[in-house]
Amino acid sequence: MFPMKYPVPQSDPPKSPRETLPTMYDLKSENPEEPGLPDEFHDWQAQLLSLTFCPPDYPVEEVFCASDMNLYYDVRHALWYKRPDWFGVVGVPRLYDQVDMRLSYVVWQEGVDPFVVVELLSPGTEKEDLGEFEPETLAPESTEREANGQAIEPHAKDKPPRKWEVYEQVLRIPYYIVFSRYTNQLRVFKLEGARYQELELPEPRVWMRELELGLGLWQGEFQGVERFWLRWYDAEGNWILTEAEQERQRAEEAESRAEEAETRLESLLQRLRESGIDPDTFLEGQ
């Protein structure tokens, strides 16, 4: 799997993780045989999330989001990964090393964990997405952490932790969002201390003050399909528009301004006629 043996022995002075640990170029980026590959809704919903994920305090070149991408989270088990339906990261270069599009997201190389993860429920993944598994498989209440912040694996060495445990206990992702397109139910889990706590939502939306951005259910048409979609909104409660929507809005505003100008001109011409002035003759004289 790896083109060279990892981990690389350290030297004096020590080498950086880029030189001693596996990078995205060393780790597989896809597995066609893996069950639960995205359906049409998963693709389109992820697109809408990415197109509207615009945290105002971060320039676009410091925001990264991805869907159905391998997320490698444990340097001691470098081949273990999860594949979120969508996740967003802030404070990292948009491009890997500011040069290349990512093949996967490798946390020990990036140095920044995702801030928010969205899972779109499907019958085959619902129980794991919601952390509904036997109590004896859960990790201890307090997870010991190494000096570099990496959680020490509480499971048997040959058994990766569940998705919920990775998000909650290993990566400690602040917000975990779960959405069912079958019931249009939005559930939001926020990291409080060592555990996720489900938030009570008076309405199907949540404000993330750390990002100055909110996520909620929007009913509208995207990709020709009218339904409820997850999308981001700003501090004023306005849905963030996609680039295509912005262009359409600008075109509609320009058309509206042209119609208003034409109406004002027609009104002026009418007043001239009522005053006994033939505007056509006047204009011809000019």
Side-chain angles (χ1 to χ4, degrees), residues 67-195:
S67 62
D68 195 43
M69 174 180 281
N70 287 3
L71 173 62
Y72 289 91
Y73 57 88
D74 188 341
V75 68
R76 292 168 303 103
H77 302 283
L79 299 182
W80 287 1
Y81 66 88
K82 298 303 177 187
R83 204 173 174 92
D85 289 326
W86 186 91
F87 65 93
V89 195
V90 293
V92 293
R94 166 63 185 83
L95 298 175
Y96 183 75
D97 279 345
Q98 301 183 350
V99 174
D100 201 0
M101 289 188 290
R102 286 176 175 82
L103 303 171
S104 56
Y105 194 89
V106 185
V107 295
W108 59 82
Q109 295 291 348
E110 302 284 358
V112 181
D113 295 339
F115 187 86
V116 55
V117 164
V118 176
E119 292 290 355
L120 306 171
L121 293 185
S122 59
T125 64
E126 181 171 356
K127 287 188 178 297
E128 182 177 359
D129 289 343
L130 293 173
E132 296 175 355
F133 37 83
E134 295 302 319
E136 60 267 23
T137 66
L138 289 171
E141 281 296 318
S142 60
T143 303
E144 186 181 356
R145 302 181 75 84
E146 295 177 347
N148 64 358
Q150 174 70 42
I152 296 177
E153 178 55 56
H155 291 257
K157 291 184 178 181
D158 59 345
K159 184 178 180 181
R162 308 278 188 128
K163 182 186 300 182
W164 179 282
E165 295 168 292
V166 171
Y167 298 163
E168 178 190 63
Q169 299 169 26
V170 180
L171 296 177
R172 298 185 58 75
I173 296 172
Y175 288 91
Y176 178 35
I177 312 295
V178 178
F179 176 61
S180 170
R181 69 181 172 111
Y182 306 103
T183 62
N184 292 323
Q185 182 184 22
L186 173 65
R187 300 178 68 180
V188 178
F189 300 89
K190 184 179 181 182
L191 194 65
E192 300 284 359
R195 289 284 183 262

Side-chain angles (χ1 to χ4, degrees), residues 52-67:
T52 59
F53 185 61
C54 305
D57 293 338
Y58 293 88
V60 65
E61 61 270 17
E62 292 183 12
V63 175
F64 175 72
C65 53
S67 62

Side-chain angles (χ1 to χ4, degrees), residues 1 6 16 28 33 57 87 136 142 165 170 191 195 230 237-238 240 286:
M1 175 62 69
Y6 285 101
S16 71
K28 69 179 181 180
E33 298 180 359
D57 293 338
F87 65 93
E136 60 267 23
S142 60
E165 295 168 292
V170 180
L191 194 65
R195 289 284 183 262
L230 281 177
N238 301 312
I240 295 175
Q286 295 297 315

